[in-house]
């Protein structure tokens, strides 16, 4: 190979003593001149892989008056055209005219008795039957004529080519059967490639007698069961029988090239011959050949899933070796042959039997998508919904379990409260004590003992209910006075608030506060102040009082107002000393018993 350019020189024919002319793998253009016939001593002519065109000279090998010494003629991979006619090339041993634009029929090989290797493939304009003159080349070892338009049947005289090792006639239009005599007579045959033709019939029973290492019969119309091919089911031998009408279980084939059909199907018949076993290694299979030609299914090819079937191993393989990929043999067969035994589809697809016109009554199965629920089809939507639900649940839990303004979860608080209830009265540690009594109780019980007793019972019921609700324990009770203990200050304060709110709403015995009310001795300055403060709202909200007009009486009222026993809060200007009550005065906010409470927290020593 060089980078020689330019046209092929006609003057080169003047080199009459030249024996080898090699110009392959260059950029030579032009055509082969007729004057090459003068180079009678030329033995090798190589112009492959150039850009030469035109017709190949008819007298390239001379004429009937001259003898040609041409042994090797290599003109492949150019643009030569027209009919290839080369008479008088009796010395040719090797010729390569493949990958050109030649047309007509195959070259006439009359007298080419020394021919060993002939390669004329990839000339799609060459057609017709294989000429009978080929049988003269009894020394032929390599015949390659792929990608042409050869027609007719395989000639019986092929059996005369006993030296043949490579026979490649793929991608043509040959019909008829595969001659059984080929496998008896062609004892040197290594490669037999008839793929993509129109051959039919059954496979010859003597096929295993041939030493074939590469058998390609894919895309034909062979039918019936596999003969004994144990010699091909071993080592690195390659056998491809896919896309035929072969079937394990059919009897009496009555189909044709367009339709696979058997009169009956024996479902009990062995799915595979005894010399072939399935491995545990799954191999992806091709499914679209029969489907692509079917008008109903051709537009559904994208929706068909991937099919995987077990690879094959030779009979006698130990069971523990069925997972070993090195034991696989390159034996390719349609899953339809063994009725898809052991096959499976990819995830989301299911192996489903379908009816195709091309497969007739032979079961045909495809990997079709399984109808999925919304959750299976859109799992990401379900994931988003679940995450959103968890977030909402988390928020509800947080909102429900945490008290507003505190970091203690309500569930934890519930456990703590339960422990308080079970443990009983606190005996040590931090505690909170609450003392309560009714202001002016002694005077009230003297004035109205019967009514005050009823009021005391109501008061005690309020205290007991609030104590129980807030996990308190009564340490001591004497008359109207209570001493209670709590585990936590919060419970004590809640007890006080709950009690005061209940007292505010309590309905007291009628007539309790009617009659004379006596002065209260000024024993406790704090009580007097609290009473004065409690009286402030009645000053503000009294209907007849005005802020400006009563401003002068406000201070004397706050400072001089006595703490009363069972006092009735009246108007701002009224004195509550030695006055007969006639019901709650106007503007009164509270009309009932007043209970005083004191709260203290500390450590209880055991």
């Amino acid at each position: 190979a060089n980078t020689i350019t330019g046209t092929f020189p006609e003057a080169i024919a003047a080199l009459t003593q030249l024996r080898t002319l090699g110009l392959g793998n260059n950029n030579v253009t032009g055509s082969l001149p007729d004057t090459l016939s003068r180079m009678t001593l030329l033995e090798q002519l190589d112009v492959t892989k150039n850009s030469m065109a035109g017709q190949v000279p008819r007298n390239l090998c001379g004429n009937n008056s001259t003898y040609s010494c041409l042994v090797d003629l290599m003109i492949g991979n150019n643009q030569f055209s027209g009919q290839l006619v080369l008479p008088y090339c009796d010395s040719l041993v090797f010729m390569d005219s493949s990958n050109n634009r030649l047309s007509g029929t195959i070259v006439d090989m009359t007298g080419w008795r020394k021919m060993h290797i002939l390669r004329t493939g990839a000339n799609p304009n060459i057609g017709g039957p294989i000429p009978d003159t080929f049988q003269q080349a009894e020394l032929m070892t390599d015949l390659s004529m792929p990608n042409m338009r050869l027609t007719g049947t395989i000639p019986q005289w092929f059996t005369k080519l006993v030296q043949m090792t490579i026979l490649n006639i793929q991608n043509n239009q040959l019909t008829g059967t595969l001659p059984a005599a080929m496998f008896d007579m062609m004892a040197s045959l290594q490669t037999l490639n008839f793929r993509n033709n129109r051959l039919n019939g059954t496979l010859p029973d003597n096929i295993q007698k041939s030493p074939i290492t590469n058998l390609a019969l894919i895309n034909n119309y062979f039918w019936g069961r596999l003969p004994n091919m144990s010699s091909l089911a071993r080592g690195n031998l390659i056998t491809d029988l896919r896309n035929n009408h072969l079937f394990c279980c059919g009897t009496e084939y009555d189909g044709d090239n367009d339709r696979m059909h058997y009169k009956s199907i024996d479902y009990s018949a062995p799915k595979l011959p005894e010399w072939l076993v399935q491995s545990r290694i799954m191999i992806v299979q091709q499914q679209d050949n029969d489907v692509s030609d079917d008008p109903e299914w051709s537009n559904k090819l994208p929706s068909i899933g991937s099919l995987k079937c077990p690879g094959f191993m030779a009979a006698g393989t130990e069971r523990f070796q069925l997972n070993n990929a090195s034991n696989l043999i390159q034996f390719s067969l349609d899953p339809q042959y063994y009725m898809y035994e052991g096959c499976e589809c990819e995830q989301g697809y299911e192996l489903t039997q379908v009816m195709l016109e091309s497969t007739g009554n032979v079961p045909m199965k495809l990997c079709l998508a399984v109808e999925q629920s919304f959750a299976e089809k859109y799992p990401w939507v379900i994931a988003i919904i679940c995450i959103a639900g968890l977030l909402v649940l988390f928020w509800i839990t947080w909102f429900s379990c945490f008290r507003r303004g505190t970091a203690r979860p309500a569930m934890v608080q519930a456990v703590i409260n339960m422990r308080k209830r079970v443990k009983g009265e606190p005996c040590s540690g931090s505690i909170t004590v609450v003392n309560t009594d009714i202001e002016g109780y002694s005077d009230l019980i003297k004035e109205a003992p019967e009514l005050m007793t009823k009021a005391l019972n109501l008061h005690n019921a309020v205290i007991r209910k609030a104590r129980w609700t807030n996990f308190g324990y009564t340490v001591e009770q004497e008359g109207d006075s209570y001493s209670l203990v709590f585990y936590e200050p919060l419970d004590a304060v809640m007890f006080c608030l709950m009690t005061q709110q209940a007292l505010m709403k309590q309905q007291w015995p009628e007539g309790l506060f009617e009659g004379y009310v006596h002065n209260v001795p000024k024993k406790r300055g704090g009580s007097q102040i609290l009473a004065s403060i409690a009286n402030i709202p009645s000053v503000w909200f009294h209907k007849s009082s005005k802020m400006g007009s009563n401003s002068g009486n406000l201070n004397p009222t706050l400072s001089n107002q006595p703490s009363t026993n069972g006092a009735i809060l009246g108007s701002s200007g009224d004195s509550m000393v030695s006055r007969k009550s006639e019901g709650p005065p106007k503007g009164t906010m509270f009309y009932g018993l007043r209970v005083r409470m004191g709260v203290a927290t500390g450590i209880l020593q055991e």
Side-chain angles (χ1 to χ4, degrees), residues 201-212:
T202 59
L203 296 178
D205 292 334
N206 61 342
I207 196 170
Q208 68 163 345
K209 295 181 179 180
S210 177
I212 294 177

Side-chain angles (χ1 to χ4, degrees), residues 492-511:
V493 174
M494 292 293 293
F495 161 79
C496 295
L497 293 175
M498 185 179 293
T499 301
Q500 295 294 345
Q501 289 177 350
L503 292 172
M504 289 282 289
K505 298 177 182 178
Q506 181 63 50
Q507 296 294 323
W508 302 104
E510 185 177 354

Side-chain angles (χ1 to χ4, degrees), residues 294-584:
D294 192 282
E296 180 182 353
W297 290 92
S298 58
N299 58 343
K300 300 180 181 179
L301 279 177
S303 63
I304 297 176
S306 175
L307 174 67
K308 295 181 179 180
C309 296
F312 295 119
M313 293 184 179
T317 304
E318 298 292 341
R319 293 181 63 86
F320 67 89
Q321 291 290 333
L322 294 178
N323 288 324
N324 191 347
S326 62
N327 292 328
L328 286 174
I329 59 175
Q330 301 183 64
F331 195 98
S332 302
L333 191 63
D334 291 327
Q336 190 176 14
Y337 177 87
Y338 47 91
M339 300 179 71
Y340 302 90
E341 189 175 74
C343 298
E344 60 185 31
C345 298
E346 62 179 306
Q347 186 175 3
Y349 291 82
E350 185 177 17
L351 198 57
T352 306
Q353 184 168 334
V354 298
M355 297 301 296
L356 298 180
E357 185 176 351
S358 59
T359 58
N361 62 340
V362 177
M364 175 70 180
K365 295 183 179 181
L366 296 175
C367 287
L368 303 182
V370 179
E371 287 294 333
Q372 295 179 317
S373 63
F374 181 85
E376 294 173 329
K377 194 173 183 180
Y378 302 103
W380 57 272
V381 175
I382 303 302
I384 292 176
I385 293 175
C386 291
I387 294 173
L390 290 174
L391 291 176
V392 172
L393 182 61
F394 174 79
W395 181 83
I396 294 175
T397 304
W398 179 87
F399 187 81
S400 302
C401 295
F402 286 83
R403 295 182 179 180
R404 186 174 299 177
T406 178
R408 180 181 288 177
M411 290 184 293
V412 175
Q413 185 64 51
V415 174
I416 295 174
N417 292 340
M418 186 180 298
R419 289 179 179 175
K420 296 176 190 176
R421 191 81 72 191
V422 172
K423 288 170 63 177
E425 181 179 332
C427 299
S428 62
S430 178
I431 64 170
T432 300
V433 177
V434 177
N435 291 315
T436 74
D437 69 347
I438 299 174
E439 188 175 349
Y441 171 74
S442 298
D443 293 335
L444 287 173
I445 197 67
K446 293 177 182 179
E447 293 289 341
E450 184 177 351
L451 293 176
M452 192 57 198
T453 300
K454 294 181 180 179
L456 181 61
N457 292 333
L458 295 173
H459 162 268
N460 292 344
V462 170
I463 294 291
R464 286 194 296 269
K465 182 177 180 181
R467 171 188 60 78
W468 174 262
T469 303
N470 292 282
F471 314 100
Y473 296 88
T474 303
V475 177
E476 183 180 1
Q477 179 189 4
E478 183 179 353
D480 65 316
S481 177
Y482 276 85
S483 293
L484 304 104
V485 63
F486 296 84
Y487 280 97
E488 296 186 34
L490 181 61
D491 293 336
V493 174
M494 292 293 293
F495 161 79
C496 295
L497 293 175
M498 185 179 293
T499 301
Q500 295 294 345
Q501 289 177 350
L503 292 172
M504 289 282 289
K505 298 177 182 178
Q506 181 63 50
Q507 296 294 323
W508 302 104
E510 185 177 354
L512 175 62
F513 303 112
E514 296 179 359
Y516 291 96
V517 182
H518 297 278
N519 291 331
V520 178
K522 298 181 180 180
K523 296 179 181 179
R524 303 172 186 173
S527 299
Q528 183 178 1
I529 295 173
L530 291 174
S532 300
I533 294 174
N535 195 41
I536 291 175
S538 65
V539 176
W540 289 349
F541 296 106
H542 193 273
K543 294 182 179 180
S544 62
S545 65
K546 301 290 177 81
M547 185 65 71
S549 61
N550 293 333
S551 60
N553 298 329
L554 180 58
N555 288 335
T557 303
L558 290 176
S559 60
N560 299 325
Q561 180 69 40
S563 176
T564 60
N565 298 327
I568 306 170
L569 296 183
S571 61
S572 61
D574 294 336
S575 173
M576 300 186 68
V577 180
S578 302
R579 183 177 70 84
K580 184 176 181 179
S581 175
E582 297 178 354

Side-chain angles (χ1 to χ4, degrees), residues 63-113:
N63 51 52
N64 58 359
S65 60
T66 59
Y67 178 78
S68 173
C69 296
L70 192 60
V71 176
D72 298 330
L73 176 60
M74 292 166 280
I75 58 174
N77 294 288
N78 281 280
Q79 300 177 25
F80 293 113
S81 59
Q83 175 79 38
L84 183 62
V85 180
L86 295 173
Y88 314 115
C89 289
D90 299 346
S91 299
L92 273 180
V93 174
F94 172 71
M95 187 182 81
D96 182 1
S97 61
S98 58
N99 290 301
N100 278 284
R101 298 179 180 178
L102 300 174
S103 58
T105 57
I106 303 177
V107 62
D108 187 356
M109 292 177 55
T110 301
W112 294 13
R113 300 183 182 277

